[in-house]
Amino acid sequence: MDIAFIADPLDGFKIYKDSSFAMMREAQRRGHHLWFMEQGDLTRLPTGVIAGCAGRLHLTGKNDWYVLDQPVDQPLSGFDAVIMRKDPPFDMEYIYSTYLLELAEQQGARVFNRPAAIRDHNEKLAIAKFPQFTVPTLVSRDKGRLLAFHAEHRDIILKPLDGMGGSGIFRVRDDALNLGSVVETLTGNGTSTIMAQRYIPAIKDGDKRVLVIGGVPVPFALARIPQGTEVRGNLAAGGVGRAQPLSARDLEIATTLGPQLWKRGLLLVGLDVIGDHLTEVNVTSPTCFQEITDQTGFDVAAMFIDALELAVKATP
């Protein structure tokens, strides 16, 4: 197969832990041809064709880990699969990319995850579709409602709807210290909608990343454990990752959501679970492949490429 990846610049990859790199390495090992482009390389040509300025990508297995051939415009429909792995921020440029990718689908391109599904599943708000698995949650930009939510639950988490890696997350305890300032800052004085959730004490045992591929859960989660006084378990915020088998509740959440999300076109999903509760549904560029594989021996990238191969065969 010819597989095109859309991702952030290759020179920024940390290949010892990057999940996109793990996918590429496994695909090349199986004899598939890799192509690479960045988000800004997507274009609608005057002919109406949706193309990407893509170069053939060769992984070397050395310190200089890749060689990229001269990029040229190519119709996205000419690839067997297009893998959208651009990291957030999920801004208007990201939205425009999903529009272009959706047009490419109409021309025959096979895009994973499907662009409309990425666009329709905000990684924070998507949990509202599955309230049976969540803690009390408020989504609002109204200061009065947010203050009242804290008054009811006393210990809460506040976060923006478009962040990643734990950015912009605040915990406000019973003393309400700086609550007004936090709300004003996150909402931009009432101009931006945010999320408030009841604090989950089980965060001390880790913010678990449960990967679901083709509707099927990976049997191990990565518990990202906060360090010191930090409330965030995100690896980008200094959390330490510990792979562990899925709990019965993890499995219940994953097997309930997985088939529904795959039916909507989400080949790869990263569910965030704290204790027994779903906190996020990550659909843009879920990670943790290499951490799970390194600690357990379970080859997540192989499971992903297996699912991708089956999905491509099943798509006309």
mmCIF file of all heavy atoms in Angstrom, residues 43-82:
data_model
loop_
_atom_site.group_PDB
_atom_site.id
_atom_site.type_symbol
_atom_site.label_atom_id
_atom_site.label_comp_id
_atom_site.label_asym_id
_atom_site.label_seq_id
_atom_site.Cartn_x
_atom_site.Cartn_y
_atom_site.Cartn_z
ATOM 1 N N THR A 43 -4.006 21.089 -0.456
ATOM 2 C CA THR A 43 -4.479 22.155 -1.348
ATOM 3 C C THR A 43 -5.597 21.651 -2.243
ATOM 4 O O THR A 43 -5.690 20.456 -2.540
ATOM 5 C CB THR A 43 -3.312 22.682 -2.218
ATOM 6 O OG1 THR A 43 -3.739 23.800 -2.963
ATOM 7 C CG2 THR A 43 -2.816 21.602 -3.166
ATOM 8 N N ARG A 44 -6.448 22.574 -2.650
ATOM 9 C CA ARG A 44 -7.410 22.295 -3.722
ATOM 10 C C ARG A 44 -6.863 22.959 -4.975
ATOM 11 O O ARG A 44 -6.755 24.180 -5.054
ATOM 12 C CB ARG A 44 -8.793 22.851 -3.393
ATOM 13 C CG ARG A 44 -9.826 22.572 -4.515
ATOM 14 C CD ARG A 44 -11.114 23.336 -4.290
ATOM 15 N NE ARG A 44 -12.130 23.028 -5.311
ATOM 16 C CZ ARG A 44 -12.206 23.586 -6.510
ATOM 17 N NH1 ARG A 44 -11.295 24.488 -6.881
ATOM 18 N NH2 ARG A 44 -13.162 23.250 -7.356
ATOM 19 N N LEU A 45 -6.509 22.144 -5.934
ATOM 20 C CA LEU A 45 -5.951 22.665 -7.173
ATOM 21 C C LEU A 45 -7.049 23.317 -8.020
ATOM 22 O O LEU A 45 -8.240 23.027 -7.821
ATOM 23 C CB LEU A 45 -5.297 21.534 -7.959
ATOM 24 C CG LEU A 45 -4.122 20.827 -7.255
ATOM 25 C CD1 LEU A 45 -3.648 19.644 -8.085
ATOM 26 C CD2 LEU A 45 -2.986 21.806 -6.996
ATOM 27 N N PRO A 46 -6.688 24.208 -8.947
ATOM 28 C CA PRO A 46 -7.701 24.840 -9.806
ATOM 29 C C PRO A 46 -8.551 23.835 -10.574
ATOM 30 O O PRO A 46 -9.678 24.140 -10.968
ATOM 31 C CB PRO A 46 -6.847 25.693 -10.762
ATOM 32 C CG PRO A 46 -5.616 26.003 -9.986
ATOM 33 C CD PRO A 46 -5.334 24.781 -9.164
ATOM 34 N N THR A 47 -8.020 22.627 -10.753
ATOM 35 C CA THR A 47 -8.793 21.581 -11.436
ATOM 36 C C THR A 47 -9.893 21.004 -10.542
ATOM 37 O O THR A 47 -10.738 20.236 -11.018
ATOM 38 C CB THR A 47 -7.866 20.433 -11.849
ATOM 39 O OG1 THR A 47 -7.231 19.909 -10.672
ATOM 40 C CG2 THR A 47 -6.821 20.910 -12.829
ATOM 41 N N GLY A 48 -9.844 21.351 -9.256
ATOM 42 C CA GLY A 48 -10.799 20.785 -8.304
ATOM 43 C C GLY A 48 -10.258 19.604 -7.532
ATOM 44 O O GLY A 48 -10.874 19.143 -6.566
ATOM 45 N N VAL A 49 -9.105 19.105 -7.929
ATOM 46 C CA VAL A 49 -8.507 17.953 -7.263
ATOM 47 C C VAL A 49 -7.934 18.364 -5.905
ATOM 48 O O VAL A 49 -7.258 19.401 -5.799
ATOM 49 C CB VAL A 49 -7.393 17.331 -8.137
ATOM 50 C CG1 VAL A 49 -6.608 16.283 -7.360
ATOM 51 C CG2 VAL A 49 -7.995 16.733 -9.397
ATOM 52 N N ILE A 50 -8.200 17.560 -4.893
ATOM 53 C CA ILE A 50 -7.595 17.785 -3.579
ATOM 54 C C ILE A 50 -6.285 17.024 -3.552
ATOM 55 O O ILE A 50 -6.252 15.794 -3.718
ATOM 56 C CB ILE A 50 -8.518 17.303 -2.444
ATOM 57 C CG1 ILE A 50 -9.904 17.932 -2.576
ATOM 58 C CG2 ILE A 50 -7.885 17.654 -1.096
ATOM 59 C CD1 ILE A 50 -9.921 19.452 -2.571
ATOM 60 N N ALA A 51 -5.205 17.762 -3.367
ATOM 61 C CA ALA A 51 -3.874 17.177 -3.451
ATOM 62 C C ALA A 51 -3.075 17.493 -2.193
ATOM 63 O O ALA A 51 -3.434 18.358 -1.390
ATOM 64 C CB ALA A 51 -3.141 17.722 -4.685
ATOM 65 N N GLY A 52 -1.981 16.774 -2.058
ATOM 66 C CA GLY A 52 -1.012 17.062 -1.018
ATOM 67 C C GLY A 52 0.370 17.099 -1.642
ATOM 68 O O GLY A 52 0.689 16.279 -2.518
ATOM 69 N N CYS A 53 1.171 18.048 -1.224
ATOM 70 C CA CYS A 53 2.552 18.109 -1.708
ATOM 71 C C CYS A 53 3.357 17.144 -0.838
ATOM 72 O O CYS A 53 3.826 17.499 0.254
ATOM 73 C CB CYS A 53 3.094 19.528 -1.608
ATOM 74 S SG CYS A 53 4.689 19.757 -2.429
ATOM 75 N N ALA A 54 3.461 15.905 -1.297
ATOM 76 C CA ALA A 54 3.987 14.813 -0.478
ATOM 77 C C ALA A 54 5.271 14.259 -1.070
ATOM 78 O O ALA A 54 5.424 14.159 -2.294
ATOM 79 C CB ALA A 54 2.945 13.700 -0.364
ATOM 80 N N GLY A 55 6.183 13.867 -0.178
ATOM 81 C CA GLY A 55 7.416 13.215 -0.597
ATOM 82 C C GLY A 55 7.460 11.784 -0.096
ATOM 83 O O GLY A 55 6.901 11.474 0.967
ATOM 84 N N ARG A 56 8.097 10.926 -0.846
ATOM 85 C CA ARG A 56 8.275 9.539 -0.408
ATOM 86 C C ARG A 56 9.205 9.534 0.793
ATOM 87 O O ARG A 56 10.269 10.171 0.785
ATOM 88 C CB ARG A 56 8.848 8.699 -1.551
ATOM 89 C CG ARG A 56 9.110 7.251 -1.203
ATOM 90 C CD ARG A 56 7.859 6.401 -1.109
ATOM 91 N NE ARG A 56 8.179 5.121 -0.514
ATOM 92 C CZ ARG A 56 8.742 4.098 -1.148
ATOM 93 N NH1 ARG A 56 9.032 4.220 -2.433
ATOM 94 N NH2 ARG A 56 9.006 2.968 -0.520
ATOM 95 N N LEU A 57 8.788 8.833 1.847
ATOM 96 C CA LEU A 57 9.509 8.813 3.111
ATOM 97 C C LEU A 57 10.171 7.455 3.303
ATOM 98 O O LEU A 57 9.514 6.414 3.174
ATOM 99 C CB LEU A 57 8.538 9.092 4.265
ATOM 100 C CG LEU A 57 9.096 9.027 5.686
ATOM 101 C CD1 LEU A 57 10.135 10.132 5.907
ATOM 102 C CD2 LEU A 57 7.965 9.153 6.705
ATOM 103 N N HIS A 58 11.459 7.475 3.621
ATOM 104 C CA HIS A 58 12.220 6.244 3.850
ATOM 105 C C HIS A 58 12.799 6.309 5.265
ATOM 106 O O HIS A 58 13.514 7.257 5.601
ATOM 107 C CB HIS A 58 13.366 6.100 2.845
ATOM 108 C CG HIS A 58 12.957 6.310 1.418
ATOM 109 N ND1 HIS A 58 12.588 5.274 0.581
ATOM 110 C CD2 HIS A 58 12.848 7.458 0.677
ATOM 111 C CE1 HIS A 58 12.284 5.758 -0.607
ATOM 112 N NE2 HIS A 58 12.432 7.075 -0.582
ATOM 113 N N LEU A 59 12.501 5.318 6.079
ATOM 114 C CA LEU A 59 13.079 5.237 7.421
ATOM 115 C C LEU A 59 14.392 4.477 7.335
ATOM 116 O O LEU A 59 14.457 3.389 6.761
ATOM 117 C CB LEU A 59 12.119 4.531 8.384
ATOM 118 C CG LEU A 59 10.689 5.085 8.448
ATOM 119 C CD1 LEU A 59 9.900 4.375 9.546
ATOM 120 C CD2 LEU A 59 10.680 6.591 8.666
ATOM 121 N N THR A 60 15.443 5.051 7.912
ATOM 122 C CA THR A 60 16.783 4.503 7.730
ATOM 123 C C THR A 60 17.203 3.545 8.842
ATOM 124 O O THR A 60 18.127 2.745 8.655
ATOM 125 C CB THR A 60 17.813 5.634 7.658
ATOM 126 O OG1 THR A 60 17.869 6.295 8.933
ATOM 127 C CG2 THR A 60 17.446 6.639 6.569
ATOM 128 N N GLY A 61 16.578 3.660 10.034
ATOM 129 C CA GLY A 61 17.025 2.869 11.168
ATOM 130 C C GLY A 61 18.306 3.389 11.799
ATOM 131 O O GLY A 61 18.920 2.718 12.639
ATOM 132 N N LYS A 62 18.709 4.598 11.427
ATOM 133 C CA LYS A 62 19.937 5.201 11.943
ATOM 134 C C LYS A 62 19.608 6.484 12.706
ATOM 135 O O LYS A 62 18.454 6.873 12.831
ATOM 136 C CB LYS A 62 20.888 5.501 10.790
ATOM 137 C CG LYS A 62 21.255 4.267 9.960
ATOM 138 C CD LYS A 62 22.103 4.655 8.755
ATOM 139 C CE LYS A 62 22.421 3.433 7.889
ATOM 140 N NZ LYS A 62 23.187 3.797 6.672
ATOM 141 N N ASN A 63 20.649 7.150 13.214
ATOM 142 C CA ASN A 63 20.438 8.405 13.931
ATOM 143 C C ASN A 63 19.761 9.433 13.034
ATOM 144 O O ASN A 63 18.869 10.161 13.477
ATOM 145 C CB ASN A 63 21.766 8.946 14.461
ATOM 146 C CG ASN A 63 22.298 8.145 15.633
ATOM 147 O OD1 ASN A 63 21.527 7.475 16.323
ATOM 148 N ND2 ASN A 63 23.601 8.192 15.856
ATOM 149 N N ASP A 64 20.234 9.546 11.795
ATOM 150 C CA ASP A 64 19.510 10.349 10.799
ATOM 151 C C ASP A 64 18.386 9.460 10.279
ATOM 152 O O ASP A 64 18.547 8.730 9.292
ATOM 153 C CB ASP A 64 20.449 10.766 9.666
ATOM 154 C CG ASP A 64 21.531 11.714 10.144
ATOM 155 O OD1 ASP A 64 21.271 12.475 11.089
ATOM 156 O OD2 ASP A 64 22.646 11.666 9.589
ATOM 157 N N TRP A 65 17.259 9.522 10.956
ATOM 158 C CA TRP A 65 16.293 8.423 10.909
ATOM 159 C C TRP A 65 15.403 8.401 9.676
ATOM 160 O O TRP A 65 14.691 7.433 9.449
ATOM 161 C CB TRP A 65 15.429 8.436 12.165
ATOM 162 C CG TRP A 65 14.563 9.658 12.357
ATOM 163 C CD1 TRP A 65 14.905 10.825 12.960
ATOM 164 C CD2 TRP A 65 13.193 9.801 11.964
ATOM 165 N NE1 TRP A 65 13.854 11.708 12.960
ATOM 166 C CE2 TRP A 65 12.781 11.102 12.361
ATOM 167 C CE3 TRP A 65 12.268 8.967 11.320
ATOM 168 C CZ2 TRP A 65 11.490 11.585 12.127
ATOM 169 C CZ3 TRP A 65 10.980 9.450 11.094
ATOM 170 C CH2 TRP A 65 10.614 10.736 11.496
ATOM 171 N N TYR A 66 15.474 9.462 8.860
ATOM 172 C CA TYR A 66 14.618 9.456 7.674
ATOM 173 C C TYR A 66 15.292 10.142 6.497
ATOM 174 O O TYR A 66 16.183 10.979 6.655
ATOM 175 C CB TYR A 66 13.279 10.139 7.963
ATOM 176 C CG TYR A 66 13.365 11.663 8.059
ATOM 177 C CD1 TYR A 66 13.198 12.468 6.936
ATOM 178 C CD2 TYR A 66 13.607 12.300 9.278
ATOM 179 C CE1 TYR A 66 13.279 13.848 7.015
ATOM 180 C CE2 TYR A 66 13.692 13.678 9.364
ATOM 181 C CZ TYR A 66 13.534 14.447 8.234
ATOM 182 O OH TYR A 66 13.631 15.818 8.320
ATOM 183 N N VAL A 67 14.830 9.757 5.310
ATOM 184 C CA VAL A 67 15.149 10.459 4.065
ATOM 185 C C VAL A 67 13.811 10.764 3.401
ATOM 186 O O VAL A 67 12.956 9.879 3.272
ATOM 187 C CB VAL A 67 16.023 9.607 3.130
ATOM 188 C CG1 VAL A 67 16.194 10.302 1.788
ATOM 189 C CG2 VAL A 67 17.375 9.320 3.772
ATOM 190 N N LEU A 68 13.617 12.009 3.019
ATOM 191 C CA LEU A 68 12.379 12.431 2.380
ATOM 192 C C LEU A 68 12.681 12.877 0.961
ATOM 193 O O LEU A 68 13.446 13.822 0.749
ATOM 194 C CB LEU A 68 11.717 13.567 3.173
ATOM 195 C CG LEU A 68 10.351 14.039 2.681
ATOM 196 C CD1 LEU A 68 9.306 12.932 2.846
ATOM 197 C CD2 LEU A 68 9.900 15.298 3.430
ATOM 198 N N ASP A 69 12.099 12.185 -0.009
ATOM 199 C CA ASP A 69 12.278 12.573 -1.413
ATOM 200 C C ASP A 69 11.617 13.918 -1.683
ATOM 201 O O ASP A 69 10.774 14.389 -0.899
ATOM 202 C CB ASP A 69 11.680 11.511 -2.337
ATOM 203 C CG ASP A 69 12.437 10.190 -2.283
ATOM 204 O OD1 ASP A 69 13.538 10.157 -1.701
ATOM 205 O OD2 ASP A 69 11.898 9.192 -2.791
ATOM 206 N N GLN A 70 11.968 14.526 -2.787
ATOM 207 C CA GLN A 70 11.411 15.823 -3.163
ATOM 208 C C GLN A 70 9.887 15.756 -3.228
ATOM 209 O O GLN A 70 9.323 14.952 -3.977
ATOM 210 C CB GLN A 70 11.949 16.265 -4.520
ATOM 211 C CG GLN A 70 11.455 17.625 -4.983
ATOM 212 C CD GLN A 70 11.916 18.758 -4.085
ATOM 213 O OE1 GLN A 70 13.041 18.744 -3.579
ATOM 214 N NE2 GLN A 70 11.047 19.731 -3.872
ATOM 215 N N PRO A 71 9.188 16.580 -2.435
ATOM 216 C CA PRO A 71 7.717 16.531 -2.461
ATOM 217 C C PRO A 71 7.154 17.075 -3.773
ATOM 218 O O PRO A 71 7.694 18.025 -4.353
ATOM 219 C CB PRO A 71 7.315 17.434 -1.284
ATOM 220 C CG PRO A 71 8.537 17.543 -0.420
ATOM 221 C CD PRO A 71 9.686 17.473 -1.370
ATOM 222 N N VAL A 72 6.082 16.451 -4.218
ATOM 223 C CA VAL A 72 5.356 16.908 -5.411
ATOM 224 C C VAL A 72 3.863 16.796 -5.138
ATOM 225 O O VAL A 72 3.427 15.989 -4.312
ATOM 226 C CB VAL A 72 5.722 16.081 -6.663
ATOM 227 C CG1 VAL A 72 7.175 16.291 -7.043
ATOM 228 C CG2 VAL A 72 5.436 14.599 -6.436
ATOM 229 N N ASP A 73 3.069 17.613 -5.823
ATOM 230 C CA ASP A 73 1.614 17.544 -5.670
ATOM 231 C C ASP A 73 1.092 16.204 -6.173
ATOM 232 O O ASP A 73 1.405 15.792 -7.297
ATOM 233 C CB ASP A 73 0.938 18.676 -6.449
ATOM 234 C CG ASP A 73 1.041 20.021 -5.757
ATOM 235 O OD1 ASP A 73 1.327 20.031 -4.546
ATOM 236 O OD2 ASP A 73 0.837 21.044 -6.422
ATOM 237 N N GLN A 74 0.289 15.567 -5.321
ATOM 238 C CA GLN A 74 -0.309 14.290 -5.692
ATOM 239 C C GLN A 74 -1.753 14.252 -5.208
ATOM 240 O O GLN A 74 -2.038 14.680 -4.081
ATOM 241 C CB GLN A 74 0.458 13.125 -5.066
ATOM 242 C CG GLN A 74 1.916 13.069 -5.483
ATOM 243 C CD GLN A 74 2.547 11.757 -5.093
ATOM 244 O OE1 GLN A 74 2.115 10.690 -5.506
ATOM 245 N NE2 GLN A 74 3.564 11.833 -4.264
ATOM 246 N N PRO A 75 -2.685 13.750 -6.007
ATOM 247 C CA PRO A 75 -4.067 13.621 -5.547
ATOM 248 C C PRO A 75 -4.141 12.703 -4.329
ATOM 249 O O PRO A 75 -3.528 11.621 -4.331
ATOM 250 C CB PRO A 75 -4.787 12.997 -6.745
ATOM 251 C CG PRO A 75 -3.898 13.251 -7.919
ATOM 252 C CD PRO A 75 -2.502 13.264 -7.391
ATOM 253 N N LEU A 76 -4.860 13.113 -3.321
ATOM 254 C CA LEU A 76 -4.982 12.261 -2.134
ATOM 255 C C LEU A 76 -5.681 10.952 -2.471
ATOM 256 O O LEU A 76 -5.454 9.933 -1.817
ATOM 257 C CB LEU A 76 -5.738 12.999 -1.027
ATOM 258 C CG LEU A 76 -5.063 14.249 -0.458
ATOM 259 C CD1 LEU A 76 -5.812 14.732 0.783
ATOM 260 C CD2 LEU A 76 -3.601 14.000 -0.125
ATOM 261 N N SER A 77 -6.521 10.975 -3.480
ATOM 262 C CA SER A 77 -7.215 9.749 -3.883
ATOM 263 C C SER A 77 -6.268 8.713 -4.470
ATOM 264 O O SER A 77 -6.637 7.542 -4.627
ATOM 265 C CB SER A 77 -8.303 10.073 -4.907
ATOM 266 O OG SER A 77 -7.739 10.691 -6.055
ATOM 267 N N GLY A 78 -5.034 9.118 -4.786
ATOM 268 C CA GLY A 78 -4.070 8.183 -5.344
ATOM 269 C C GLY A 78 -3.373 7.326 -4.305
ATOM 270 O O GLY A 78 -2.688 6.358 -4.660
ATOM 271 N N PHE A 79 -3.518 7.678 -3.027
ATOM 272 C CA PHE A 79 -2.936 6.870 -1.963
ATOM 273 C C PHE A 79 -3.936 5.805 -1.515
ATOM 274 O O PHE A 79 -5.150 5.998 -1.598
ATOM 275 C CB PHE A 79 -2.562 7.744 -0.766
ATOM 276 C CG PHE A 79 -1.534 8.801 -1.076
ATOM 277 C CD1 PHE A 79 -1.895 10.138 -1.131
ATOM 278 C CD2 PHE A 79 -0.213 8.454 -1.311
ATOM 279 C CE1 PHE A 79 -0.958 11.124 -1.421
ATOM 280 C CE2 PHE A 79 0.734 9.421 -1.604
ATOM 281 C CZ PHE A 79 0.362 10.758 -1.662
ATOM 282 N N ASP A 80 -3.424 4.701 -1.021
ATOM 283 C CA ASP A 80 -4.315 3.664 -0.483
ATOM 284 C C ASP A 80 -4.917 4.107 0.844
ATOM 285 O O ASP A 80 -6.044 3.724 1.183
ATOM 286 C CB ASP A 80 -3.553 2.356 -0.301
ATOM 287 C CG ASP A 80 -3.110 1.775 -1.629
ATOM 288 O OD1 ASP A 80 -3.992 1.322 -2.385
ATOM 289 O OD2 ASP A 80 -1.896 1.796 -1.917
ATOM 290 N N ALA A 81 -4.169 4.886 1.614
ATOM 291 C CA ALA A 81 -4.667 5.397 2.896
ATOM 292 C C ALA A 81 -3.980 6.716 3.203
ATOM 293 O O ALA A 81 -2.792 6.905 2.890
ATOM 294 C CB ALA A 81 -4.408 4.400 4.028
ATOM 295 N N VAL A 82 -4.738 7.626 3.800
ATOM 296 C CA VAL A 82 -4.205 8.898 4.289
ATOM 297 C C VAL A 82 -4.435 8.913 5.801
ATOM 298 O O VAL A 82 -5.578 8.770 6.265
ATOM 299 C CB VAL A 82 -4.905 10.098 3.633
ATOM 300 C CG1 VAL A 82 -4.376 11.412 4.213
ATOM 301 C CG2 VAL A 82 -4.719 10.068 2.122
#
